[in-house]
Amino acid sequence: MRSYQPDLTPPWKKSAPVPEVPAEPDLVVEDVATGFCGAVVRCEKTAEGPTVTLEDRFGKHRVFPMAPRGFLLEGRVVTLVRPSAGGPVRPARTASGSVAVPGARARVARAGRIYVEGRHDAELVERVWGDDLRIEGVVVEYLEGVDDLPAIVREFSPAPDARLGVLVDHLVPGSKESRIAAQVSDGDVLVVGHPYIDVWEAVKPSSVGIAGWPVVPRGQDWKTGVCRALGWPENTGAAWQRILSSVHSYRDLQPELLGRVEELIDFVTLPA
C-alpha cells in the first residue's frame, strides 16, 4: 500500500491557484509570453494539446497553446480552457471591439473635441466608435476643409483640460495637409492622419465586395472616378451609403485608420 507523503514545499514557493476561464468567442485576453492581445476566434484540439486563436484589433490572427497560467484577463493571470456547450454568454462588444456597457448613459460632453475632415469621416467614426465616444463624452465634429484648421484651432483655444484631436485625410510627407498639421500641432493639439486620398479607401475592399480601390487619374474627381471605374452610378452620395452599410465593425477598416482614431480618443480623454 502506498504510504502518504506530505508536501514539504515551502509556502512561498508554491504557485497560487489561478482561475480557469472558458475561451468563449470575443473574450479579449493577452498572451503572457508574447504580450499579443486579441479576441478569441476559435479553440481547436491538436496533437500537441488544445490551442486558441486570437485576433487583434488590426485583424491579425495568432495561435497559442492553452497552457496553464498562460494568459492575462483584465490584468489577472488565468488559465484558458475549452468552453463547454451551453456555457455562459460572454459580454457583448461594441463595433470598435470594446466591451459593451449595457444601459450606460452618455457622459456629459468633455471640453476636448475630435475634428475630422468631412461628413463621411464623421459618419464612419460614429459607426465604429460611436458607443465608445458617448461613454467617454467625446464629441466629433467635421471640418469643411483642412484649410480651415488653423482658424478652428485658434478659436477653440486648446488647453490641457480641453485637448483637440484632428483626423486628416491623405496625411503624407510633403503634402498640403502635412504642412498645415505642422503649423497647429503642440502639446494640446494632436493631428494624425491616414495615407488614403479619401476615407472611402480606409474601408477594406473585401468588405465592400470589390477586388480593390481603383486608381483614378490625376485631374479627375476621385469619388466620381471610383464610381465610374467600378461601374456604379455616378452618384457619390449613394456610393458612400453603399460603402458605409458594408462596415459592421473595426474588422472592416484598414489598420492605418484604426490606430489613428484610437490614438485621438486616448489623447482627448487623457487626464489633464
Side-chain angles (χ1 to χ4, degrees):
M1 182 174 179
R2 189 174 181 179
S3 61
Y4 169 73
Q5 296 292 330
D7 183 359
L8 300 179
T9 305
W12 60 86
K13 289 190 176 181
K14 293 181 180 180
S15 297
V18 300
E20 292 187 344
V21 177
E24 300 284 352
D26 288 336
L27 176 71
V28 176
V29 295
E30 178 182 338
D31 177 61
V32 169
T34 65
F36 185 90
C37 184
V40 173
V41 176
R42 60 181 173 273
C43 296
E44 296 176 298
K45 294 176 67 175
T46 71
E48 290 77 25
T51 64
V52 60
T53 301
L54 303 181
E55 180 185 55
D56 71 8
R57 65 186 317 112
F58 303 117
K60 182 179 180 180
H61 285 200
R62 287 188 63 178
V63 180
F64 298 95
M66 295 171 69
R69 307 175 66 89
F71 298 89
L72 294 175
L73 174 61
E74 298 179 348
R76 296 184 304 142
V77 176
V78 299
T79 297
L80 289 187
V81 296
R82 290 174 59 84
S84 58
V89 177
R90 299 305 306 176
R93 299 199 169 270
T94 67
S96 73
S98 301
V99 175
V101 184
R105 293 185 176 183
R107 176 174 174 166
V108 175
R110 295 174 181 266
R113 291 286 187 275
I114 292 177
Y115 272 86
V116 297
E117 196 165 342
R119 182 170 58 85
H120 293 179
D121 305 64
E123 290 176 345
L124 188 59
V125 169
E126 164 61 27
R127 190 169 187 88
V128 176
W129 288 275
D131 290 338
D132 307 60
L133 292 167
R134 279 182 284 279
I135 289 176
E136 293 290 349
V138 177
V139 174
V140 175
E141 301 184 31
Y142 64 89
L143 311 167
E144 293 297 335
V146 72
D147 294 326
D148 299 330
L149 184 55
I152 287 174
V153 171
R154 286 193 299 271
E155 182 178 354
F156 187 83
S157 299
D161 59 348
R163 294 187 178 93
L164 182 62
V166 184
L167 179 70
V168 176
D169 296 340
H170 199 230
L171 189 62
V172 296
S175 66
K176 174 185 73 173
E177 289 82 1
S178 66
R179 292 191 295 272
I180 293 175
Q183 292 176 26
V184 301
S185 296
D186 65 21
D188 299 318
V189 180
L190 176 64
V191 181
V192 299
H194 55 75
Y196 306 114
I197 294 174
D198 191 271
V199 77
W200 288 20
E201 282 189 293
V203 180
K204 291 180 179 177
S206 58
S207 297
V208 185
I210 59 177
W213 291 105
V215 176
V216 177
R218 291 178 65 88
Q220 288 189 26
D221 177 73
W222 188 84
K223 293 176 181 177
T224 302
V226 166
C227 294
R228 189 175 300 144
L230 294 176
W232 295 353
E234 293 182 19
N235 181 330
T236 58
W240 170 241
Q241 291 307 313
R242 176 175 181 169
I243 295 165
L244 185 62
S245 67
S246 70
V247 176
H248 306 288
S249 77
Y250 70 93
R251 294 183 176 91
D252 296 308
L253 301 182
Q254 299 286 9
E256 290 85 353
L257 177 65
L258 289 173
R260 302 295 74 74
V261 175
E262 297 283 352
E263 188 177 357
L264 290 177
I265 294 173
D266 289 344
F267 179 74
V268 300
T269 57
L270 197 68

